[in-house]
């Protein structure tokens, strides 16, 4: 895979992921949406389907990391860090694009939020917000949840017959997504959301949180409130620590 393919694949795939993910959050949260108040299960499956759509789209181009934590976890396991910055740059740009597209899609619902009497907080549509604000506990949650993503994801490549896992091609490029392995990752994300997402909203992906948070800060959203930059380090640092731990465990155990 060329540098151009990697960058393009990660931008497009991550944009699709965030469009679905922020889209389902908007659908469940905003007044004027037909899916208003449809619940956490809907959100978990919306994000899972976003992973599936984004990963299947990006897989032929970049291997479909779509997540700096995945990229770092693979690099820790393989020792190949050469293309890590390229992957992460594409993921961050794609995340911003996906968030802007979700805002455009729900533009009328965001515009209706201008009425102060019925206005709702909008940051949760874009980024994670902890239910109980405790930086240490929130950080631990993101570390564990991300390790629960990255370690099984790496292990999927060790199982025969499920498609391409985290293996290197002839040029040394890590390829993560193809065949049924993408579907397994999508269901893994649904499971993490249902089981581990309650405390913090399961960022488990620095780009997924940081890119949309930046979009939230810049977009002309009525009554949008704070973008909560004081918390923004937790869904970046926690997933990266979890990814490193998962990569080390996988490297040692498998």
């Amino acid at each position: 895979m060329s540098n151009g393919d990697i960058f393009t694949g990660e931008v497009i795939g991550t944009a699709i992921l965030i469009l679905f993910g922020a889209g389902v959050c908007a659908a469940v949260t905003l007044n004027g949406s037909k899916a208003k108040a449809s619940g956490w299960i809907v959100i978990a499956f919306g994000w899972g389907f976003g992973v599936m759509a984004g990963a299947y789209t990006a897989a032929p181009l970049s291997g479909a990391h779509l997540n700096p934590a995945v990229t770092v976890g693979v690099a820790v396991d393989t020792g190949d860090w050469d293309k890590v910055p390229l992957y992460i740059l594409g993921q961050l740009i794609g995340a911003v694009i996906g968030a802007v597209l979700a805002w455009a899609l729900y533009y009328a619902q965001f515009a209706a939020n201008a009425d102060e009497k019925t206005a709702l907080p909008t940051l949760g549509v874009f980024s994670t917000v902890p239910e109980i604000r405790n930086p240490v506990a929130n950080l631990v949650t993101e570390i564990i949840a991300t390790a629960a993503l990255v370690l099984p994801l790496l292990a999927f490549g060790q199982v025969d017959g499920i498609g391409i896992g985290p293996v290197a091609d002839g040029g040394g490029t890590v390829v993560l997504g193809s065949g049924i392995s993408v579907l397994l990752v999508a269901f893994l994300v649904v499971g993490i959301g249902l089981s581990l997402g309650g405390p913090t909203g399961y960022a488990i992906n620095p780009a997924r949180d940081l890119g949309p948070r930046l979009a939230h800060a810049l977009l002309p959203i009525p009554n949008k409130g704070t973008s909560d930059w004081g918390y923004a380090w937790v869904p970046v640092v926690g997933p990266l620590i979890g990814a490193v731990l998962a990569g080390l465990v996988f490297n040692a155990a498998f």
Side-chain angles (χ1 to χ4, degrees):
M1 292 180 286
S2 69
N3 288 344
D5 284 345
I6 291 172
F7 180 76
T8 301
E10 292 300 295
V11 169
I12 294 174
T14 309
I16 292 172
L17 163 62
I18 300 302
L19 172 60
F20 275 62
V24 73
C25 289
V28 171
T29 301
L30 296 176
N31 293 323
S33 166
K34 293 182 180 294
K36 168 74 173 176
S38 51
W40 189 250
I41 292 176
V42 172
I43 289 175
F45 273 94
W47 277 103
F49 290 139
V51 169
M52 182 179 67
Y56 272 124
T57 303
L61 291 173
S62 66
H65 293 197
L66 313 186
N67 182 343
V70 171
T71 300
V72 168
V74 170
V76 169
D77 175 50
T78 63
D80 184 2
W81 292 84
D82 290 349
K83 297 186 184 295
V84 167
L86 182 63
Y87 271 96
I88 293 177
L89 178 62
Q91 292 154 5
L92 286 172
I93 292 173
V96 173
I97 293 172
V100 172
L101 291 174
W103 166 76
L105 193 149
Y106 281 92
Y107 179 82
Q109 283 70 32
F110 281 111
N113 209 45
D115 184 352
E116 293 185 2
K117 293 181 179 180
T118 58
L120 297 167
T122 59
L123 179 59
V125 172
F126 295 87
S127 296
T128 58
V129 179
E131 284 298 297
I132 298 175
R133 187 172 294 265
N134 181 320
V136 174
N138 302 151
L139 185 68
V140 170
T141 295
E142 288 295 334
I143 291 171
I144 294 172
T146 306
L149 168 69
V150 175
L151 184 58
L153 191 152
L154 292 171
F156 287 163
Q158 303 300 308
V159 181
D160 292 336
I162 64 169
I164 298 174
V167 296
D169 66 13
T173 301
V174 172
V175 181
L176 279 180
S178 183
I180 198 172
S181 63
V182 172
L183 186 60
L184 294 178
V185 174
F187 278 110
L188 173 62
V189 171
V190 173
I192 290 171
L194 294 176
S195 299
L196 311 179
T200 63
Y202 71 114
I204 61 175
N205 180 339
R208 167 265 178 275
D209 195 273
L210 184 58
R213 194 180 297 271
L214 179 61
H216 178 267
L218 297 176
L219 286 171
I221 302 170
N223 289 317
K224 65 180 175 182
T226 176
S227 297
D228 197 8
W229 290 105
Y231 179 76
W233 67 274
V234 173
V236 172
V237 174
L240 293 177
I241 294 174
V244 170
L245 293 175
L248 292 173
V249 170
F250 180 80
N251 189 275
F254 294 86

